[in-house]
């Protein structure tokens, strides 16, 4: 049974649970952020946030050999928790992983599954981002309305892939 905590502390925990999204841009800092998120979520029954923190850990480790197996385990945990909407987050992490490794077949399968998971329009931008990370054209015009120019978003997404490759190459 979850422990009752003051509202302010609860909001602080939830706010910090989202911080691991830094995994895309700064995997070194993400380790510290993930440790904090796990510490803050330990006493709470917030499976969704806990699973999202695990997705962030996948993103942090994108490009390494452990990601596909961990992603499969995470899909199993998501099903067991009854939170199927989280599958699209795992698939976005896998798209990043495949783009970093240059795995075209894995990327194509992931994008196809991601397209299915976002077919209702919810999180459709995930499919766009997967294409952008892989330097692939969109198969049709996007329904996403970006706050910046689409070319800038595409460049930023591709930049994350290049930065991760460099990080893996140099170990920094």
């Amino acid at each position: 049974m979850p422990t009752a905590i003051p509202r302010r502390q609860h909001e602080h925990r939830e706010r910090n649970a989202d911080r691991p999204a830094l995994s895309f841009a700064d995997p070194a800092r993400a380790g510290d952020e993930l440790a904090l998120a796990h510490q803050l979520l330990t006493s709470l029954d917030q499976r969704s946030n806990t699973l999202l923190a695990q997705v962030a850990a996948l993103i942090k480790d994108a490009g390494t050999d452990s990601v596909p197996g961990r992603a499969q385990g995470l899909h199993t945990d998501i099903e067991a928790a009854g939170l199927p909407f989280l599958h699209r987050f795992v698939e976005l992490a896998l798209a990043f992983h495949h783009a970093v490794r240059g795995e075209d077949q894995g990327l194509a399968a992931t994008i196809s599954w991601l397209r299915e998971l976002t077919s209702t329009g919810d999180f459709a931008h995930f499919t766009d981002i997967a294409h952008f990370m892989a330097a692939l054209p969109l198969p049709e015009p996007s329904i996403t309305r970006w706050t910046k120019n689409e070319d800038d978003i595409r460049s930023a997404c591709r930049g994350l892939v290049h930065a991760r490759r460099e990080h893996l190459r140099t170990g920094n």
Side-chain angles (χ1 to χ4, degrees):
M1 175 172 239
T3 306
I5 58 173
R7 180 167 180 76
R8 185 171 180 201
Q9 185 180 2
H10 176 75
E11 289 170 354
H12 174 74
R13 287 179 181 198
E14 283 192 346
R15 184 174 59 249
N16 281 302
D18 293 337
R19 295 182 84 188
L22 295 170
S23 296
F24 277 111
D26 189 350
R29 182 173 169 211
D32 293 337
E33 297 293 337
L34 286 166
L36 175 61
H38 286 293
Q39 178 185 356
L40 293 172
L41 294 170
T42 297
S43 65
L44 299 177
D45 182 17
Q46 293 194 7
R47 289 174 285 187
S48 178
N49 283 339
T50 301
L51 292 167
L52 281 172
Q54 291 177 32
V55 170
L58 285 181
I59 294 167
K60 178 184 83 63
D61 296 335
T64 64
D65 293 339
S66 68
V67 169
R70 289 170 45 211
Q72 186 60 40
L74 193 47
H75 278 305
T76 301
D77 293 346
I78 287 167
E79 282 299 314
L83 300 167
F85 71 94
L86 292 175
H87 287 299
R88 63 190 96 179
F89 292 91
V90 176
E91 292 305 309
L92 182 61
L94 279 173
F96 183 51
H97 170 76
H98 292 309
V100 167
R101 291 180 70 127
E103 297 173 342
D104 295 339
Q105 284 185 313
L107 192 55
T110 298
I111 288 174
S112 176
W113 181 231
L114 191 54
R115 186 176 296 113
E116 226 176 283
L117 291 170
T118 61
S119 64
T120 62
D122 293 336
F123 293 85
H125 62 287
F126 279 18
T127 304
D128 293 355
I129 291 168
H131 281 88
F132 297 164
M133 287 188 295
L136 295 172
L138 294 175
E140 55 198 35
S142 176
I143 63 168
T144 304
R145 299 217 188 270
W146 299 101
T147 58
K148 294 183 178 181
N149 178 303
E150 186 175 296
D151 289 336
D152 292 341
I153 303 295
R154 177 180 289 278
S155 178
C157 291
R158 195 65 190 148
L160 292 171
V161 171
H162 290 299
R164 180 56 54 87
R165 285 179 179 162
E166 182 64 16
H167 170 77
L168 292 170
R169 189 184 68 74
T170 63
N172 291 326

